[in-house]
Amino acid sequence: NFTSTPSDDNAVKVLKIANGSHAGKFLVASRANANSSNDIVLTRFTSDGELDTTFDLDGHKQVKLGENVEVIGLIELTSGEFILYGNITQNSVITGVIAKLDAEINIDTSFATNGIYSTVDIPDLDVSLKQATVDNDGKIIAVGNSDNGSSITPVILRLTTSGSIDFSFNNVGFNVGSTGDEYNTLVVKSNNRVFVGGVDNNSASTKAMLVTQYKSNGTIAFNYYIDVNSVSDDSVHKILL
């Protein structure tokens, strides 16, 4: 328990730090749930697996990206900085947030707006994030879904290195897939094309696997719908290059 009140804690992501003065140490992003509200806690361990008490005195640090934030993932940059992302739930509406942290896990306020990008910037869609990554130019690409209660719309977006919407990506910084599909995961090729995996909910009988490739300019190169058999629901949760 790393917060000021008793909480249920769940480790979501473990990184072995590869860059900067803390290379070789481990960083853990955890979800702390107390009184039906989520907080984000980062914990740093030494290379020997001991709590790193040089990190915020006790090895743990709470990161505030908003109220009731569920952490989804953590990415290390080659600079030794980090990208932290998750979803905020307020009044039953879920929106995604992406933040940049320095090597000591302070929010970099020069990134986006006061250090945090929010998917509220995408008009007419409340987008919750599923996964994010960094392309070969250092830009941040994320996938998620918007659920209005009656239908689901998958979304992919790209941010510049400074955290603003990248208008060179589909002219508006994001693209929307077919209504009814869902995006779960993504991977970036060396030419900055993006493979996205998910699920097609539009089948008449069962759900099918979905693989979509986006060109580096944000337009769709192709969609593959793969129904393994007619009696099971199929979906893609991980893609490897």
Side-chain angles (χ1 to χ4, degrees):
N1 178 21
F2 310 136
T3 60
S4 58
T5 58
S7 63
D8 293 326
D9 307 318
N10 181 21
V12 174
K13 181 70 176 182
V14 180
L15 284 180
K16 183 177 183 180
I17 301 173
N19 304 288
S21 60
H22 299 294
K25 297 180 180 181
F26 297 89
L27 191 63
V28 179
S30 299
R31 182 184 308 141
N33 181 275
N35 300 321
S36 300
S37 180
N38 290 301
D39 291 305
I40 298 174
V41 175
L42 295 190
T43 304
R44 196 166 70 199
F45 295 87
T46 67
S47 58
D48 294 325
E50 302 290 335
L51 275 175
D52 182 2
T53 54
T54 67
F55 177 61
D56 209 46
L57 300 179
D58 62 357
H60 312 294
K61 188 170 187 176
Q62 187 173 349
V63 180
K64 294 292 290 185
L65 302 186
E67 298 299 325
N68 196 19
V69 185
E70 180 181 16
V71 61
I72 301 297
L74 179 69
I75 305 166
E76 183 185 7
L77 305 176
T78 56
S79 61
E81 299 167 303
F82 300 91
I83 298 296
L84 180 70
Y85 61 97
N87 296 310
I88 295 178
T89 302
Q90 290 183 326
N91 299 320
S92 300
V93 176
I94 302 176
T95 54
V97 287
I98 300 172
K100 185 177 181 182
L101 310 176
D102 65 19
E104 298 303 327
I105 317 303
N106 301 302
I107 294 176
D108 179 358
T109 56
S110 67
F111 179 82
T113 302
N114 296 321
I116 304 170
Y117 167 81
S118 172
T119 59
V120 296
D121 293 340
I122 298 177
D124 304 320
L125 294 171
D126 298 319
V127 180
S128 61
L129 299 178
K130 294 290 286 188
Q131 189 179 350
T133 191
V134 176
D135 72 9
N136 300 285
D137 297 324
K139 297 179 179 180
I140 301 161
I141 304 175
V143 293
N145 304 289
S146 176
D147 187 348
N148 64 11
S150 60
S151 64
I152 297 174
T153 303
V155 178
I156 181 172
L157 64 92
R158 189 168 73 192
L159 305 181
T160 67
T161 56
S162 63
S164 59
I165 279 287
D166 181 5
F167 290 103
S168 68
F169 189 78
N170 197 39
N171 296 319
V172 292
F174 64 93
N175 204 339
V176 176
S178 300
T179 299
D181 290 344
E182 294 180 59
Y183 289 164
N184 292 327
T185 186
L186 77 162
V187 66
V188 179
K189 298 178 63 178
S190 59
N191 60 0
N192 281 337
R193 287 198 172 204
V194 184
F195 274 93
V196 179
V199 57
D200 166 36
N201 292 305
N202 296 305
S203 174
S205 55
T206 59
K207 299 178 181 181
M209 292 188 293
L210 166 67
V211 176
T212 299
Q213 184 182 133
Y214 282 90
K215 299 177 183 179
S216 59
N217 65 5
T219 60
I220 293 178
F222 61 75
N223 284 314
Y224 283 142
Y225 297 97
I226 307 163
D227 195 1
V228 175
N229 59 59
S230 60
V231 296
S232 66
D233 290 330
D234 309 313
S235 62
V236 178
H237 290 274
K238 186 70 175 178
I239 299 176
L240 292 177
L241 283 180

